[in-house]
Amino acid sequence: MAKDTPQTFYLKDYTPFGYDVESVHLTFRLTPETTRILSRIRFAPKPDATDSTFFLHGEDLTLISARIDGQAVTPDLVEGGLKCEVPGTPFTWEAEVEINPAGNTALEGLYMSNRMYCTQCEAEGFRKITYYPDRPDVMSTFTVRIEGDEPVMLSNGNPMGQGEGWAEWHDPWPKPAYLFALVAGDLVNYAGAFTTRSGKEVELNIWVRPGDEGKCAFGMEALKKSMKWDEDVYGLEYDLDLFNIVAVDDFNMGAMENKGLNIFNSSCVLASPETSTDANFERIEAIIAHEYFHNWTGNRITCRDWFQLCLKEGLTVFRDAQFTADMRSEPVKRIDDVIALRARQFPEDGGPLAHPPRPEEFQEINNFYTATVYEKGAEVIGMLKRLVGDDNYYKALKLYFERHDGQACTIEDWLKVFEDATGRDLQQFKLWYSQAGTPRLKVSEDYADGTYTLTFEQSTPPTPGQPDKAPRVIPVAVGLLSPNGDEVRATEVLELTEAKQSFSFDGLAARPVPSILREFSAPVILQRETTNAERAFLLAHDTDPFNRWEAGNALAKETRVTMVLDGDAPDAAYLDALEKLVRDDDQDPAFRALVLTPPSQADIAQTLHERGFTPDPQKIYDAAETFAQTLAQQLETSLPRLYAATTADGAYVPDAEGAGKRALNGRILSLLTRLDGGDQAARQYAAADNMTQQYAALAALMKAEKGAAQSQAFFDQWQDDRLVMDKWFALQIACAAPEKTAATAAALTRHALFDMKNPNRFRAVMGALAGNHAGFHHASGEAYQLLADNLIALDTLNPQTTARMCAAFQTWKRYGTGRQSLIRAQLTRIANAPDLSRDTTEMVTRILDA
Ligand code: BES
Ligand code: ZN
């Protein structure tokens, strides 16, 4: 289809496939450039079909032959697949196709990564393997035979036999094609075992390239913890005798939940203290849990169509967040998630790419694996849980698994389960799934005669295609503090349902200080007139850790916004509050590290934009520098002591406690480096025996432009480790001063180890470029141009990763006219590139239409 007439798919057009698929048999004859796939599929016409067209999806396939019930047929090859005349009774479809895994740089379908065959079928990649009804509501059992000379050949389910040059697998659980997987190559396994609570023995393996066996232990433990947690908390057991995880180097996403054969980007499973930071460990634990949890929320119960994606992703993100909170620290996890939500989802929801968690149309589904579907999808479930209460939540989930096991479901099915389990009407709540945009919640207050009244007004700005929004159900968790800091009202969840609504608290002895939106009980933007004194009070006294952090965060933002707008010096009261907190050894180090972490420059830009100002990235950068320098000076006398006190002794353990201490220590080191010229950082670099401390030291030195020697040493030490080299590439760009950022990134794209075809490496460089706020938005426009050049070049190889990275431009309308016209020129250049993919075309068109 021509690129100026892209096809749009609509939720309202859903029609079931006209045939049941009773069984699927696949034979793979593997060779790098000419793999043959033979399919034998049993179809049965549905008696009640509304549409009996026999259409099978297929892309980039060479059809060798096709048969129905043994008789050769000549199907109609049409755009995106084939059509064929078929009998009105059950029949066997057989096809032989040829594909080229070695030439598949899109990393979708069957491709080769580092001499290893692997697959990625979600969302619509199976159609690049063979002709098939490639839609999630078509579920079937798969039997797979792999022929080739690879030492290890894996597919879903259980092994049925193997011999010289072949292996056979059978997956007894009916599944949609997007959960199909095949891996073959020279791999070794790190083995483990788990006994389910009903006594089933499960064999566990993490498959890696020879040499990486030493980086599997942490992932294996994470897998066992996940299996146990899902039994304990949700009552869900694993359902096969074998669970395999494979690490691959070239992967568009983080990881994939294929039934019994999860495939992971090696960055999301391989871990060792020497090569991985605390943040890496935490992410690996979370993503292993996430993919494992999909076995029930995604695989046993899947999605009817891709519009329902948040049914599995929102729920599974919610579940993995619960898991991380249980394994580590609940408040720290919540704060981290809210920071991420504001950094990724709020800009999406407030810009040209805004869409509801359940979109109603798309051109390329790969473009809808978004922060809104994932993170806002998870927030919506968090609100639901808060509204119905914990007991009702688990009651509803139990009903969900009983009622829908083995089915392909919708958001309606999901909400119905909650309605039936709780008797609650969720009609209005459902707006969270259909309306885009972040609600603004304006709060005003009144106090008289011992009665305190909070008045809330909600409104949501227009988003593409949705000019007007109806009021939603918003759970607002509120507590009240007395002026002396005692909590006079424990947390209570107020349920907003109207555009404007008041709630009163009586019997108070004095005007209270409110703590509103505790635990960030709803993904909204709170707007309330308050003072820095009150924020400092909450930072010191709130009993809700999230809101304590939030008060500090608000203070930090106010200070920085005032510095940018008025050129003021940093707020002295805020600096004092910070100093007090940093020195308070009774406070959790991880919490102190979070309060000491300044809001990102992009966050300040967003805040300015929300208040009607045009952000100037250079001014925002300067304010950040001045602030950090002033804070370092204020803490001057205590920094060396704090550094010493927070330096962990003993062996490195990647747990929450150790990570919290190291996070605080790292923050202190970065401040100290502003004063001591890098002496302490150089000592830490030289002594570090783990990547967290080595990396923190290198980052501090590079930020101070004192790290040339260490950067070279780091390169020499780690040049053969792809994952560590990704850090080396990214760090140089992240630490570059604004005027040097584009040149630094450009030079790195010419480095011998830069590799466009490896998404991790491409993202390390281009992601760091887009993530350096002042550097990316430098007035020269060089960074915009460099990113556009690289996106155009990557699009011909890997549309999916290209399209995702276009989001770097989504906030363009908030900047001044100079930057806007520079960005528009680059977006237009991308849009006009010859043979631009459907993926990237959709993204740039939507962004330009802002
Ligand atoms: N099902 C997805 C992987 C996926 C995404 C496949 C897009 C195809 C297209 C997987 O479960 C997932 O969500 N992975 C996330 C990480 C997770 C921890 C949120 C990822 O890959 O980023
Ligand atoms: Zn997922």
Side-chain angles (χ1 to χ4, degrees):
M1 190 152 304
K3 86 174 183 195
D4 48 353
T5 55
Q7 193 181 352
T8 302
F9 299 91
Y10 297 94
L11 169 60
K12 61 175 167 50
D13 290 347
Y14 174 81
T15 30
F17 188 52
Y19 301 80
D20 285 319
V21 178
E22 294 175 342
S23 65
V24 178
H25 285 79
L26 301 172
T27 299
F28 287 78
R29 301 199 172 128
L30 297 175
T31 65
E33 280 159 15
T34 53
T35 286
R36 290 277 172 112
I37 296 115
L38 290 77
S39 58
R40 181 157 47 85
I41 305 166
R42 189 79 190 152
F43 287 101
K46 286 181 188 162
D48 55 351
T50 49
D51 180 0
S52 53
T53 314
F54 187 74
F55 172 76
L56 302 181
H57 295 102
E59 267 175 38
D60 305 339
L61 303 173
T62 304
L63 181 64
I64 307 294
S65 64
R67 281 193 299 267
I68 289 180
D69 291 332
Q71 298 293 309
V73 291
T74 310
D76 237 356
L77 297 185
V78 297
E79 174 69 35
L82 61 73
K83 286 184 183 165
C84 199
E85 288 294 322
V86 298
T89 51
F91 60 93
T92 300
W93 161 268
E94 287 172 283
E96 179 168 358
V97 301
E98 187 172 293
I99 59 173
N100 177 4
N104 182 349
T105 56
L107 314 183
E108 206 183 36
L110 176 66
Y111 65 94
M112 300 207 73
S113 167
N114 239 319
R115 295 178 301 283
M116 169 177 149
Y117 294 87
C118 68
T119 55
Q120 172 54 40
C121 293
E122 189 179 0
E124 299 181 333
F126 191 76
R127 63 190 64 182
K128 294 181 162 186
I129 292 176
T130 193
Y131 288 100
Y132 195 75
D134 187 8
R135 38 186 292 170
D137 59 343
V138 172
M139 298 169 83
S140 187
T141 54
F142 283 63
T143 306
V144 176
R145 178 179 168 89
I146 311 170
E147 297 174 4
D149 22 282
E150 303 300 329
V152 174
M153 301 194 282
L154 310 171
S155 190
N156 315 86
N158 300 314
M160 301 306 285
Q162 67 174 79
E164 191 59 35
W166 65 275
E168 283 183 5
W169 293 82
H170 175 71
D171 180 359
W173 296 102
K175 66 169 176 287
Y178 83 85
L179 292 172
F180 168 81
L182 176 151
V183 171
D186 182 14
L187 294 165
V188 290
N189 67 319
Y190 179 94
F194 182 80
T195 310
T196 70
R197 64 173 184 179
S198 67
K200 184 209 268 284
E201 290 291 330
V202 184
E203 177 189 335
L204 313 174
N205 290 299
I206 299 182
W207 295 91
V208 296
R209 288 181 303 154
D212 283 337
E213 304 90 322
K215 294 182 179 174
C216 299
F218 181 82
M220 182 59 78
E221 282 317 301
L223 175 59
K224 292 183 206 166
K225 283 186 200 166
S226 309
M227 296 177 87
K228 176 79 169 56
W229 186 91
D230 217 11
E231 291 184 348
D232 292 347
V233 178
Y234 281 86
L236 298 173
E237 267 187 52
Y238 188 59
D239 56 4
L240 287 165
D241 302 330
L242 175 63
F243 189 83
N244 282 321
I245 286 178
V246 184
V248 305
D249 285 333
D250 303 285
F251 202 72
N252 281 332
M253 301 293 291
M256 176 65 208
E257 71 264 27
N258 316 298
K259 183 82 187 188
L261 179 55
N262 287 3
I263 297 183
F264 274 62
N265 186 320
S266 52
S267 72
C268 293
V269 55
L270 300 182
S272 76
E274 297 73 35
T275 57
S276 314
T277 61
D278 286 325
N280 296 146
F281 278 103
E282 179 171 339
R283 168 138 172 92
I284 288 166
E285 185 174 88
I287 192 162
I288 287 183
H290 177 97
E291 306 311 337
Y292 174 72
F293 296 158
H294 269 315
N295 191 55
W296 277 93
T297 50
N299 302 3
R300 288 286 287 259
I301 303 180
T302 193
C303 302
R304 188 192 72 174
D305 52 69
W306 292 119
F307 299 102
Q308 321 293 330
L309 181 59
C310 73
L311 178 71
K312 76 176 176 81
E313 294 301 349
L315 177 54
T316 307
V317 169
F318 181 74
R319 275 153 47 71
D320 83 53
Q322 287 183 297
F323 169 79
T324 298
D326 283 355
M327 294 298 122
R328 292 169 179 256
S329 151
E330 185 170 350
V332 169
K333 172 62 177 164
R334 189 63 188 141
I335 294 165
D336 285 341
D337 282 352
V338 173
I339 293 171
L341 189 77
R342 286 177 174 153
R344 305 197 318 117
Q345 202 276 326
F346 280 22
E348 187 168 273
D349 232 357
L353 301 176
H355 55 278
R358 182 172 68 178
E360 280 162 32
E361 55 177 279
F362 64 74
Q363 289 169 18
E364 171 50 62
I365 184 56
N366 282 325
N367 290 335
F368 282 85
Y369 286 74
T370 59
T372 298
V373 167
Y374 275 67
E375 275 78 42
K376 190 169 180 178
E379 289 298 321
V380 172
I381 293 176
M383 287 189 284
L384 196 50
K385 180 159 176 280
R386 206 177 284 278
L387 288 168
V388 303
D390 285 4
D391 291 350
N392 276 327
Y393 171 80
Y394 287 105
K395 202 170 130 197
L397 267 283
K398 192 165 171 275
L399 183 59
Y400 180 61
F401 296 117
E402 280 166 12
R403 184 182 286 178
H404 294 297
D405 187 12
Q407 299 177 3
C409 294
T410 60
I411 290 301
E412 282 73 18
D413 296 327
W414 163 254
L415 289 175
K416 183 76 167 59
V417 153
F418 276 81
E419 295 194 321
D420 291 353
T422 66
R424 227 186 137 103
D425 177 354
L426 293 171
Q427 203 52 39
Q428 189 186 4
F429 184 81
K430 196 178 169 193
L431 291 170
W432 280 106
Y433 284 104
S434 59
Q435 286 189 167
T438 310
R440 309 309 198 243
L441 201 55
K442 214 161 144 193
V443 189
S444 54
E445 59 218 271
D446 188 50
Y447 179 73
D449 304 329
T451 299
Y452 180 70
T453 304
L454 284 171
T455 300
F456 297 91
E457 283 174 79
Q458 58 163 307
S459 65
T460 304
T463 51
Q466 293 188 333
D468 303 309
K469 307 284 197 318
R472 311 184 203 202
V473 187
I474 304 180
V476 184
V478 173
L480 301 179
L481 304 184
S482 76
N484 65 15
D486 297 335
E487 190 171 76
V488 288
R489 283 289 191 284
T491 305
E492 184 181 327
V493 180
L494 311 178
E495 270 184 52
L496 270 62
T497 53
E498 290 156 35
K500 184 170 179 182
Q501 215 168 343
S502 297
F503 299 84
S504 291
F505 304 82
D506 50 22
L508 296 163
R511 186 189 182 99
V513 178
S515 168
I516 305 172
L517 211 65
R518 284 184 158 180
E519 289 176 38
F520 203 65
S521 59
V524 301
I525 295 173
L526 201 61
Q527 297 175 333
R528 174 169 171 264
E529 297 284 336
T530 179
T531 61
N532 278 353
E534 193 186 288
R535 294 185 179 110
F537 174 87
L538 288 171
L539 173 60
H541 299 293
D542 204 328
T543 53
D544 179 61
F546 175 81
N547 261 5
R548 235 150 46 72
W549 169 82
E550 180 78 314
N553 184 51
L555 270 174
K557 274 197 205 172
E558 280 319 308
T559 301
R560 296 260 297 281
V561 164
T562 316
M563 289 174 74
V564 170
L565 293 177
D566 308 333
D568 287 1
D571 183 78
Y574 173 52
L575 288 169
D576 288 342
L578 270 186
E579 174 161 18
K580 219 166 132 219
L581 192 110
V582 182
R583 290 153 163 261
D584 183 354
D585 290 334
D586 292 339
Q587 302 272 350
D588 176 14
F591 183 80
R592 282 190 276 164
L594 280 167
V595 178
L596 261 188
T597 305
S600 73
Q601 292 169 44
D603 194 357
I604 301 297
Q606 175 159 317
T607 305
L608 285 165
H609 170 69
E610 274 159 20
R611 296 183 190 182
F613 300 101
T614 299
D616 178 338
Q618 183 66 43
K619 278 195 182 151
I620 293 172
Y621 174 87
D622 293 339
E625 286 296 304
T626 306
F627 182 81
Q629 195 64 36
T630 315
L631 178 62
Q633 270 145 12
Q634 164 123 2
L635 294 171
E636 180 160 16
T637 51
S638 35
L639 281 176
R641 181 197 70 78
L642 280 167
Y643 177 80
T646 55
T647 300
D649 35 21
Y652 174 89
V653 182
D655 59 5
E657 201 193 331
K661 279 195 188 149
R662 285 183 292 270
L664 179 56
N665 185 249
R667 293 299 314 142
I668 291 165
L669 181 67
S670 77
L671 292 170
L672 190 52
T673 306
R674 291 180 177 269
L675 304 178
D676 77 351
D679 293 349
Q680 187 61 60
R683 283 196 292 277
Q684 175 168 320
Y685 186 88
D689 66 354
N690 62 77
M691 181 52 69
T692 306
Q693 286 173 315
Q694 187 177 16
Y695 185 82
L698 182 61
L701 288 164
M702 305 236 314
K703 184 87 221 324
E705 301 195 328
K706 296 249 161 53
Q710 286 83 0
S711 176
Q712 184 60 49
F714 191 93
F715 179 87
D716 294 341
Q717 183 182 358
W718 296 116
Q719 54 183 311
D720 296 327
D721 188 307
R722 286 226 225 181
L723 298 175
V724 181
M725 284 317 289
D726 289 334
K727 296 184 186 352
W728 182 81
F729 273 89
L731 191 59
Q732 296 177 69
I733 301 162
C735 293
E739 67 282 5
K740 295 184 184 161
T741 306
T744 305
L748 287 170
T749 61
R750 294 187 292 267
H751 194 282
L753 293 182
F754 181 71
D755 176 8
M756 279 262 190
K757 290 187 182 165
N758 178 250
N760 290 359
R761 189 59 48 85
F762 187 88
R763 276 189 292 254
V765 174
M766 290 301 142
L769 177 67
N772 182 329
H773 185 256
F776 184 56
H777 293 287
H778 190 265
S780 69
E782 282 169 33
Y784 302 148
Q785 182 170 353
L786 181 65
L787 179 61
D789 287 345
N790 279 276
L791 291 176
I792 291 168
L794 185 66
D795 190 63
T796 58
L797 299 167
N798 185 335
Q800 199 179 320
T801 290
T802 309
R804 293 181 74 81
M805 293 204 62
C806 290
F809 290 119
Q810 72 176 324
T811 55
W812 68 296
K813 284 277 164 116
R814 62 165 76 138
Y815 297 97
T817 49
R819 288 183 173 87
Q820 281 194 27
S821 60
L822 289 168
I823 297 176
R824 184 187 288 107
Q826 297 306 327
L827 285 169
T828 309
R829 193 160 67 89
I830 300 172
N832 292 330
D835 300 321
L836 196 70
S837 67
R838 187 165 50 133
D839 310 53
T840 306
T841 303
E842 180 183 22
M843 291 298 277
V844 290
T845 316
R846 283 165 64 206
I847 295 172
L848 269 170
D849 279 351

